[in-house]
Amino acid sequence: MFMSFPEEDLTCPVCCDIFTDPVLLSCSHSFCRTCLKNCWDTGLRECPVCRKKTSKSNPPSNLALRNVCETLLMVKRQSLALEDELSCIVHGEKLKLFCLVDKQPICVVCLSSRSHKSHECSPVEEALLDCKAELALSVESLQEKLHNLKGIQKTSADMIKYIKNQAQETQKRIKSQFEQLHQLLDQEESTRLQAVKKEEEKKIAEMKDKIKELSAEVLCVADTISFIQDRLKEEDMGLLKNFRSTQDRAKSTGLGSDNMSGLLIDVTEHIYNLKHRVLEKLFDQVGYTPVTLDPNTAHPCLILSDDLTSFHYTKQPTCCPDNPERFHMSAEVVGMTTLGSGSHHWVVETGSNQDWLLGVVSSSVPRDTDILARPENGFWTLCLRDGEFRAMTSPPIVLTVSRTPEQIKVQVDYNKGMVSFVDHADDTLIYSFTDTFTETLLPYFYSQSSHPLKIIPEKVLVTMLRQ
């Protein structure tokens, strides 16, 4: 607004500078309040320009003029600041170039200086466009990063809920399995207590029979004693005449069996190594599974059993977090047992399942990409699909089998680099891989069938180490 008239119209006639706190006289002339006061202190109270006298000792402020002057001064200060900003702080020249090495504006003198002499430069106009474009890309990249971070933040919140559900479900399964163990122990305890009770009743019955026999014998002996005592009271000749019969009766009254062995309860039979024998019986009933499935790696379309020893495929995916360990592309899952040196084996019951892959994979196989199950990709597997058995080599080999096995034994000899597949029913070899393993392996399973694949438990043998 103030640029519509010359700057001299905003200058005080006394100090010849921009008005400071201007006052307005009745003659329409304006002066700085301080300048006017100084003039009046030295002479008459009159206008320094037209000499017209005024009666007011304190003329009013010219507010409109003061606002314009303050705005002009502010613009001047901004202009000077901008000019300083556009000038080199070292040489005072305008910043017309942009150093592409140091990423800063420079003047033409800087270009010839030692600091920038060998640096590539461009005009600030071109550099401005390039910098804006680069920053726009940075903003785009950061916006994408922000979007990803928000996604991770949401996923993390969802994972907290999933972890809580996992903990509750795991605790529920633990309680269920301990309840089964408690039930087995209670049954075993009841059986053994009943055995003791049964033996107690048997021994007591035997002792009662023994006491009954002894009571009869006691009466018989007492009668014989009484009879002999009566004979002793007879006359001498009568005693002699009846002596033989009396003696025969005394001899015929013999003592019963006094063998008391085996009448007590066989405590040792019930107590010896009781915990060990109960443990052996528990092992016979619960078994041991050499491979347990890892639910954190299972594809969302796989449903795992509560004891993590079997699974089947469903078209309706479950709600689970998108964690890095999980297979995302196909219906795969691995066991939690890491296979390193030594020999390992497990048996998988395939049953009616006609679409599966079994074997081992390298621990580092990617979980978020779709790759071929080949040895060069870290897969050593046997496949059943479309009624054909295939060894998943490069390319796959179609295998001929005399019958379709329902249980497949997977054998791994890590040190020899061998992975073998055997028909568990008759130990017939189906196929064997030979390779060199460079990292640990994991049991591998794949299926797109609603019929389950199940890892068969093994019988546990308890042996004693004698030193």
Side-chain angles (χ1 to χ4, degrees):
M1 180 177 64
F2 57 88
M3 297 302 292
S4 60
F5 44 84
E7 186 175 323
E8 52 266 21
D9 292 340
L10 304 176
T11 302
C12 174
V14 177
C15 64
C16 299
D17 204 349
I18 302 299
F19 286 108
T20 301
D21 189 14
V23 294
L24 180 63
L25 299 181
S26 58
C27 61
S28 299
H29 290 124
S30 294
F31 305 90
C32 296
R33 186 179 296 278
T34 302
C35 294
L36 183 62
K37 183 176 180 300
N38 292 336
C39 292
W40 286 358
D41 289 343
T42 60
L44 299 175
R45 190 181 300 166
E46 60 183 11
C47 174
V49 175
C50 66
R51 300 302 177 180
K52 184 178 179 179
K53 292 181 180 181
T54 179
S55 60
K56 294 181 180 181
S57 60
N58 188 21
S61 298
N62 192 339
L63 297 178
L65 182 59
R66 185 178 67 180
N67 292 338
V68 173
C69 292
E70 287 178 352
T71 304
L72 176 62
L73 290 173
M74 182 182 67
V75 171
K76 276 193 170 187
R77 285 193 297 268
Q78 291 177 347
S79 178
L80 289 174
L82 181 61
E83 188 175 346
D84 290 340
E85 188 178 334
L86 297 177
S87 300
C88 177
I89 59 175
V90 178
H91 307 106
E93 298 290 333
K94 286 189 177 181
L95 300 172
K96 295 184 177 182
L97 300 173
F98 185 79
C99 178
L100 300 177
V101 177
D102 295 329
K103 303 296 182 182
Q104 64 180 19
I106 61 175
C107 67
V108 291
V109 180
C110 292
L111 182 61
S112 303
S113 66
R114 184 181 303 169
S115 301
H116 302 277
K117 189 171 184 180
S118 60
H119 293 177
E120 184 178 357
C121 300
S122 66
V124 291
E125 294 80 3
E126 295 180 6
L128 182 61
L129 296 176
D130 295 339
C131 290
K132 284 184 177 181
E134 187 173 341
L135 289 176
L137 290 176
S138 298
V139 169
E140 185 178 343
S141 176
L142 288 172
Q143 286 176 338
E144 183 178 356
K145 184 176 182 179
L146 178 62
H147 176 74
N148 293 336
L149 286 173
K150 288 183 177 179
I152 295 173
Q153 189 178 33
K154 182 181 182 304
T155 301
S156 300
D158 293 340
M159 285 187 71
I160 290 178
K161 295 180 182 177
Y162 187 81
I163 289 170
K164 289 181 179 179
N165 291 334
Q166 263 191 321
Q168 292 175 356
E169 183 63 26
T170 303
Q171 290 172 346
K172 181 180 177 181
R173 294 181 184 181
I174 290 173
K175 288 182 179 179
S176 174
Q177 295 205 21
F178 269 95
E179 285 174 1
Q180 294 174 16
L181 289 175
H182 292 157
Q183 185 176 1
L184 291 174
L185 286 172
D186 289 342
Q187 290 175 351
E188 188 64 21
E189 178 188 11
S190 177
T191 300
R192 293 184 181 275
L193 291 176
Q194 287 176 5
V196 174
K197 184 65 176 177
K198 186 176 181 180
E199 186 174 359
E200 176 194 10
E201 293 172 351
K202 178 184 177 183
K203 297 298 183 182
I204 290 176
E206 290 176 354
M207 286 305 302
K208 286 182 177 179
D209 291 341
K210 186 74 175 176
I211 291 172
K212 188 181 293 186
E213 292 177 4
L214 290 172
S215 296
E217 289 182 5
V218 167
L219 289 175
C220 181
V221 172
D223 287 345
T224 302
I225 292 172
S226 178
F227 176 78
I228 294 174
Q229 287 177 339
D230 290 342
R231 286 286 185 263
L232 289 173
K233 294 177 182 179
E234 293 181 350
E235 297 178 356
D236 295 342
M237 189 54 67
L239 186 147
L240 291 174
K241 286 182 178 180
N242 295 317
F243 174 74
R244 176 177 288 181
S245 61
T246 302
Q247 189 181 36
D248 289 342
R249 181 171 179 173
K251 289 181 179 179
S252 65
T253 308
L255 292 176
S257 174
D258 59 353
N259 184 12
M260 302 295 286
S261 65
L263 294 178
L264 298 179
I265 291 178
D266 192 352
V267 177
T268 304
E269 176 63 26
H270 296 288
I271 299 299
Y272 85 98
N273 292 326
L274 178 60
K275 295 178 182 178
H276 176 77
R277 288 185 294 145
V278 171
L279 186 62
E280 283 186 316
K281 196 163 185 179
L282 286 178
F283 279 146
D284 287 339
Q285 296 187 52
V286 300
Y288 167 76
T289 306
V291 171
T292 303
L293 303 174
D294 186 352
N296 292 337
T297 68
H299 186 274
C301 288
L302 295 183
I303 305 298
L304 275 58
S305 62
D306 287 348
D307 61 359
L308 305 179
T309 61
S310 67
F311 72 94
H312 67 276
Y313 178 83
T314 177
K315 293 182 179 180
Q316 191 68 32
T318 58
C319 182
C320 56
D322 191 18
N323 52 299
E325 300 88 357
R326 193 175 305 281
F327 287 95
H328 305 294
M329 303 305 294
S330 58
E332 303 164 278
V333 63
V334 293
M336 63 179 296
T337 307
T338 302
L339 310 178
S341 61
S343 299
H344 315 269
H345 75 274
W346 58 94
V347 179
V348 181
E349 184 175 80
T350 57
S352 302
N353 192 314
Q354 298 292 308
D355 186 4
W356 50 258
L357 274 80
L358 301 174
V360 295
V361 295
S362 297
S363 300
S364 64
V365 293
R367 314 291 173 92
D368 56 354
T369 56
D370 194 5
I371 58 176
L372 296 176
R374 303 289 188 270
E376 63 269 21
N377 295 329
F379 290 77
W380 295 269
T381 59
L382 181 72
C383 172
L384 174 61
R385 181 166 292 166
D386 300 328
E388 288 186 341
F389 279 91
R390 300 187 185 96
M392 300 307 287
T393 55
S394 297
I397 299 174
V398 177
L399 304 175
T400 302
V401 294
S402 58
R403 64 185 183 85
T404 301
E406 294 185 356
Q407 292 184 348
I408 306 291
K409 179 189 285 186
V410 184
Q411 296 176 323
V412 179
D413 191 322
Y414 188 92
N415 298 337
K416 293 182 179 180
M418 293 183 63
V419 180
S420 303
F421 300 90
V422 177
D423 184 344
H424 186 54
D426 55 9
D427 283 336
T428 302
L429 179 65
I430 301 174
Y431 189 81
S432 183
F433 289 90
T434 302
D435 211 328
T436 301
F437 303 131
T438 58
E439 59 179 284
T440 56
L441 307 175
L442 291 170
Y444 173 81
F445 307 84
Y446 163 91
S447 178
Q448 275 195 299
S449 171
S450 59
H451 298 283
L453 293 178
K454 179 175 178 58
I455 303 165
I456 304 299
E458 297 182 354
K459 185 177 179 61
V460 179
L461 299 177
V462 181
T463 58
M464 299 297 295
L465 294 178
R466 300 187 181 277
Q467 297 180 348

